[in-house]
Amino acid sequence: MNVVRLVLWWLSVWMVSLFGHKVLPLGYADVENRLPCKPESVMRIASISKSITMAAVAKAMENGDLDLDKPVQAYVPQFPEKTVNGEKVTVTTRQLVSHLSGVRHYSKDYFKTKDAAKDNASSATTTAPSAPAAEKKNPSKTLAVTGEFLLEEYYIKDKLDSTESALALFKDDPLVHKPDSKFLYTTHGWTLIAAVLEGATKRKFPDLIRLLISDLGLDSTYLDENEPLIYNRSRFYVRNKNHHLENAPYVDCAYKYAGGGMLSTVTDLVHFGNAMLYSYQYREAHGSQTAQKQDSKTAPPKDINTTPQPRNAVTPTSGMHQPSSDLGSAHHSCNLPGYLKPATMQQIWRPVEKTQHSKDNLYAMGWEVMPEKRKFGFGRSQPFYVYHT
């Protein structure tokens, strides 16, 4: 073991002497042309797009444009009203951002049940435009993929020029279950959120995201569009049945911009995470007032639920060190406010009931949450943290 440590130490000293303190690349952003991966490499971030979209939702809340508890039809009148087991139900944005709405994900297997077929007939109040078709021959059949990557909606090639056209994929389908009854992770639900944002703000979703990206200084974050030239964009790869590397099948991600259709870099994602954390931890000048104080500057939006937290909720600041007013950075030494208000961040990072989908994980609003836990006095503690995969 000591010999191994000595060899590793020698290698580290040799690499530092050779490369200085630069981060060594790991792997290739372009295998065919042997272009190394680097912090500036622009990659698909898949469902981390949901957390970025959530920042846009939160900003619309703060601006008074969006009420999370109104039926989605208040902002998207073309979305049909739904019934479950013959009972009329309401879908809200609050349910959507926590995956409690019952809107389906990519799978259509639940259509096989008689109840779903019955509800489908009673829910479809309008005639949907023909939905874009996936590739006739599903390319997943030749790839070494499993789970949802086998589903045809992963391989849509058609360019959808509006959020409304993306809604056509699922808006007339029945709900999988009654809203607020159980957790069902859904990317299509975030397409409906994009439509809600458009109706609430009177701006197109791509324009809203580009404004957010600009405001936060995310200079290497984009919508995953195929046509524009994006510097440092990586190539995309899959393994075939023989485990050989292939170029990924061509797809167009316009149908899921809000929930899984953005590009970014590791640097921009750290920057975005810092912006959200700064908003969450922000204190008034000189630390004289806390983020929890409800004054004119930090009062929550009018639609924030101020009722007692559910039994399985955590105190938003539990498990976290209280920061200095400027987070130790000269860039924030003037105590500039965060992009979002602390009270808003406390709401969107608060675990929501009925969203537990693994042993420890809960969902909040556009973010996964690991609540603070301790089994024994003076025992090991699981700190509170948020993330998205």
Side-chain angles (χ1 to χ4, degrees):
M1 180 62 72
N2 288 334
V3 173
V4 172
R5 288 176 178 171
L6 181 61
V7 170
L8 291 175
W9 172 83
W10 181 85
L11 284 172
S12 66
V13 171
W14 176 77
M15 287 189 291
V16 168
S17 66
L18 186 63
F19 298 102
H21 292 286
K22 294 181 179 179
V23 177
L24 296 175
L26 180 64
Y28 293 102
D30 184 330
V31 175
E32 292 168 278
N33 296 300
R34 290 296 190 266
L35 298 178
C37 207
K38 52 188 179 180
E40 296 78 23
S41 297
V42 176
M43 299 185 178
R44 284 175 172 159
I45 62 171
S47 287
I48 299 174
S49 305
K50 294 177 174 69
S51 299
I52 295 177
T53 299
M54 188 62 219
V57 171
K59 181 58 73 173
M61 290 161 51
E62 289 188 344
N63 291 340
D65 295 327
L66 175 59
D67 184 335
L68 291 183
D69 296 310
K70 283 186 176 182
V72 293
Q73 288 81 8
Y75 306 106
V76 192
Q78 66 270 34
F79 189 78
E81 293 184 342
K82 300 294 180 180
T83 61
V84 176
N85 297 326
E87 177 188 353
K88 184 178 177 180
V89 296
T90 299
V91 176
T92 68
T93 309
R94 187 181 297 277
Q95 295 160 351
L96 287 166
V97 296
S98 297
H99 300 282
L100 290 171
S101 67
V103 171
R104 73 172 177 88
H105 193 35
Y106 297 116
S107 175
K108 298 180 182 180
D109 286 347
Y110 77 110
F111 280 156
K112 298 174 183 177
T113 67
K114 293 182 179 179
D115 289 341
K118 179 180 178 182
D119 282 331
N120 191 33
S122 61
S123 294
T125 57
T126 59
T127 302
S130 55
E135 189 174 7
K136 289 184 179 179
K137 183 179 180 181
N138 190 337
S140 70
K141 295 178 181 178
T142 64
L143 305 176
V145 295
T146 59
E148 64 185 26
F149 291 93
L150 296 170
L151 301 172
E152 287 188 352
E153 286 180 352
Y154 256 91
Y155 304 98
I156 290 174
K157 291 184 175 182
D158 296 344
K159 176 73 173 180
L160 305 183
D161 57 2
S162 69
T163 302
E164 184 172 1
S165 59
L167 284 176
L169 276 171
F170 63 91
K171 74 182 182 75
D172 286 311
D173 294 340
L175 299 182
V176 181
H177 57 73
K178 187 177 180 179
D180 265 338
S181 65
K182 63 179 73 174
F183 179 88
L184 174 67
Y185 189 86
T186 168
T187 293
H188 285 331
W190 285 80
T191 298
L192 180 52
I193 291 170
V196 167
L197 279 172
E198 290 187 344
T201 64
K202 310 306 179 186
R203 303 188 67 171
K204 295 296 184 182
F205 180 77
D207 295 336
L208 282 172
I209 291 301
R210 291 186 183 107
L211 176 61
L212 182 150
I213 287 170
S214 175
D215 286 344
L216 291 178
L218 305 177
D219 297 330
S220 297
T221 299
Y222 313 89
L223 296 175
D224 188 357
E225 299 175 280
N226 290 297
E227 295 81 6
L229 298 180
I230 296 177
Y231 294 110
N232 295 313
R233 181 170 3 198
S234 69
R235 299 288 293 271
F236 309 123
Y237 301 96
V238 291
R239 298 277 182 183
N240 64 19
K241 292 289 188 180
N242 297 320
H243 207 64
H244 295 156
L245 207 62
E246 292 182 353
N247 288 310
Y250 171 80
V251 298
D252 196 300
C253 291
Y255 77 99
K256 57 177 179 179
Y257 279 152
M262 298 187 197
L263 305 170
S264 192
T265 65
V266 291
T267 305
D268 266 16
L269 290 182
V270 169
H271 186 99
F272 173 71
N274 282 343
M276 297 298 99
L277 189 61
Y278 180 82
S279 297
Y280 179 82
Q281 295 179 321
Y282 175 71
R283 300 295 183 269
E284 295 296 332
H286 310 301
S288 60
Q289 296 174 325
T290 64
Q292 286 75 25
K293 184 173 181 181
Q294 301 302 320
D295 60 13
S296 59
K297 293 184 178 179
T298 59
K302 60 182 180 180
D303 61 338
I304 283 186
N305 182 6
T306 57
T307 57
Q309 296 181 33
R311 183 178 60 182
N312 63 353
V314 299
T315 303
T317 54
S318 62
M320 301 185 69
H321 293 292
Q322 295 303 312
S324 60
S325 59
D326 62 356
L327 293 182
S329 169
H331 179 68
H332 299 295
S333 60
C334 295
N335 287 287
L336 297 172
Y339 179 75
L340 298 170
K341 297 175 182 177
T344 304
M345 293 305 304
Q346 288 172 24
Q347 181 186 13
I348 67 177
W349 280 358
R350 181 182 301 145
V352 176
E353 282 190 301
K354 300 179 183 177
T355 61
Q356 186 163 355
H357 51 287
S358 66
K359 182 179 178 181
D360 298 308
N361 295 46
L362 289 158
Y363 210 87
M365 295 183 178
W367 290 82
E368 297 263 8
V369 181
M370 190 71 75
E372 183 182 36
K373 287 185 178 180
R374 189 193 299 271
K375 288 185 178 180
F376 316 105
F378 288 93
R380 185 186 179 106
S381 175
Q382 172 186 282
F384 164 78
Y385 62 90
V386 297
Y387 67 99
H388 214 293
T389 57

